Amino acid sequence: MIASSFNLAGRRALVSGASRGIGAALAVALAEAGADVALTARGRSALDAAAAAVRAAGRRAETLEHDVSAAGAAETAIAAAEAALGPLDILINNAGVEEVRPSLDVDEALWDRIVDVNLRGAFFLAQAAARSMIAGGRRGAILNVCSLTSFVGVPTAAPYTASKSGLLGLTRALSAEWAPQGVRVNGIAPGYFRTALTEPFYADADWSAAMLDRIPMGRFGAVEDLGGAAVFLCSDAAAYVTGQCLGVDGGYLASI
Ligand code: NAP
């Protein structure tokens, strides 16, 4: 009974930013749990490998071009995913960008680029998904990929920290607003994962050693470490969980 509550068979999901890294891994995790998946990114062909991995797990995959920072594009993306797969039950807001720069040097273009993708894009995709879920009378699960910076501040990452702290606030606000209509909204907060986004940090051996020292489990995360938390929060096993953000960080946030 409890094991079947984690099963996503018959569910349909959209994962934004699924062309590589964490988003690709989350798309595959959902598929392995039984869901069909629409994968989105700014370029469609970049999604082919992740879509093939979803199909290899025995599920349907649809690839869609969608820039989450493009005005008015969220409704179109949700409609296209639903035209291909059927009504969505799950949305993972994963698309994200980062650029470190001293705050004294941050200009409006950098601020807008980061906040538009990480926060504004996530809100409008959640809104479009929830409109469909609520209008269709379906229970829905929205999962926002937050960050350690949803909880703590990181020097030279003010726009990113603000966007991810905002995303946690959004998670809480939407969870409260949509709970009566059966849409749950949660988050996961990955710790340190080596991906294209974070690769520049790992090139610095001193940075890597200092970070490893601060992670109680003594290793960086592998993107596959995130699948269990994501599947749990998107599944009926988490039917009474909403407005939460689960750290997947090897113990980083719990320690000093
Ligand atoms: P990544 O490898 O750079 O992947 C980012 C994904 O977002 C790509 O699929 C990229 O696709 C997509 N993307 C970027 N801009 C987009 C846009 N405007 N519209 C649609 N898609 C867009 O980074 P990652 O490390 O996997 O990060 C995934 C998420 O995890 C991000 O939200 C990030 O903030 C969060 N996170 C990462 C870590 C970490 O340690 N890596 C830690 C905490 C949180 P295209 O470039 O193909 O469009």
Side-chain angles (χ1 to χ4, degrees):
M1 181 69 180
I2 188 66
S4 66
S5 69
F6 289 85
N7 194 323
L8 298 180
R11 308 285 165 89
R12 303 167 188 107
L14 184 148
V15 181
S16 72
S19 60
R20 58 176 184 267
I22 290 171
L26 295 181
V28 172
L30 294 184
E32 288 177 348
D36 295 331
V37 186
L39 303 95
T40 76
R42 285 168 294 182
R44 200 169 175 193
S45 61
L47 292 158
D48 287 348
V54 166
R55 293 186 191 108
R59 306 311 317 171
R60 287 195 295 163
E62 180 70 17
T63 58
L64 298 167
E65 185 176 312
H66 175 223
D67 180 340
V68 299
S69 65
E75 292 282 353
T76 310
I78 295 295
E82 296 196 328
L85 295 180
L88 291 174
D89 310 285
I90 296 166
L91 166 68
I92 299 188
N93 266 319
N94 167 77
V97 290
E98 158 67 320
E99 183 179 326
V100 291
R101 197 184 293 181
S103 291
L104 295 180
D105 300 328
V106 169
D107 56 23
E108 292 180 12
L110 179 63
W111 176 275
D112 288 348
R113 187 170 73 83
I114 292 176
V115 175
D116 279 359
V117 174
N118 297 2
L119 182 56
R120 183 180 179 280
F123 172 75
F124 285 104
L125 204 52
Q127 181 195 61
R131 278 179 178 157
S132 167
M133 292 165 179
I134 292 167
R138 298 186 305 285
R139 283 175 303 154
I142 296 173
L143 185 69
N144 294 324
V145 179
C146 298
S147 161
L148 297 179
T149 64
S150 300
F151 299 96
V152 294
V154 175
T156 72
Y160 184 80
T161 302
S163 71
K164 292 295 184 176
S165 296
L167 190 57
L168 177 55
L170 190 64
T171 301
R172 291 172 172 147
L174 297 180
S175 72
E177 187 169 338
W178 293 338
Q181 288 115 310
V183 176
R184 296 182 300 105
V185 188
N186 288 293
I188 53 172
Y192 286 92
F193 290 71
R194 191 170 187 163
T195 64
L197 187 81
T198 54
E199 188 57 37
F201 304 122
Y202 291 85
D204 179 344
D206 291 341
W207 180 90
S208 287
M211 279 304 144
L212 269 185
D213 246 15
R214 293 204 46 193
I215 300 171
M217 287 190 182
R219 69 171 176 88
F220 295 115
V223 290
E224 294 75 17
D225 287 323
L226 293 161
V231 167
F232 163 62
L233 289 168
C234 292
S235 75
D236 290 346
Y240 199 53
V241 180
T242 197
Q244 300 301 307
C245 184
L246 178 55
V248 185
D249 62 3
Y252 183 97
L253 274 179
S255 67
I256 57 167

